[in-house]
Amino acid sequence: MAEMDTMKFLMDLKQYKDVLPKQTMKTLKGQALSGDLEGAKKGLGAVLRRRAGKCERAQ
C-alpha cells in the first residue's frame, strides 16, 4: 500500500516540474523513494508556500 502512495506522490510531483527547481524535484523524489513520504509531502508544501507569491501556478 505504501508503494502506491509513493507512486501517486511521484506522479503528482510531475505537475510542478516547470515550477520547482530541478534540485528540489530531485530531493523530493529521493525522499519519497527512500521511504520518507511524509517528509517529502511536508517539504513540497513548504516549497510551494514559499513560492506562492512568485508563481501563480504554485498556489
Side-chain angles (χ1 to χ4, degrees), residues 43-56:
L44 177 60
V47 171
L48 292 178
R49 275 193 306 277
R50 278 198 308 265
R51 296 185 63 87
K54 299 176 187 171
C55 179
E56 182 179 313

Side-chain angles (χ1 to χ4, degrees), residues 5-48:
D5 292 340
T6 302
M7 294 306 292
K8 175 154 177 23
F9 175 78
L10 293 176
M11 291 177 74
D12 291 343
L13 188 62
K14 286 182 184 180
Q15 72 179 351
Y16 298 108
K17 186 170 70 170
D18 57 339
V19 175
L20 300 178
K22 190 173 186 178
Q23 189 59 49
T24 302
M25 295 289 290
K26 286 182 176 186
T27 299
L28 294 172
K29 180 179 177 182
Q31 275 185 306
L33 291 176
S34 71
D36 186 14
L37 187 58
E38 290 305 312
K41 287 179 181 179
K42 185 176 180 181
L44 177 60
V47 171
L48 292 178

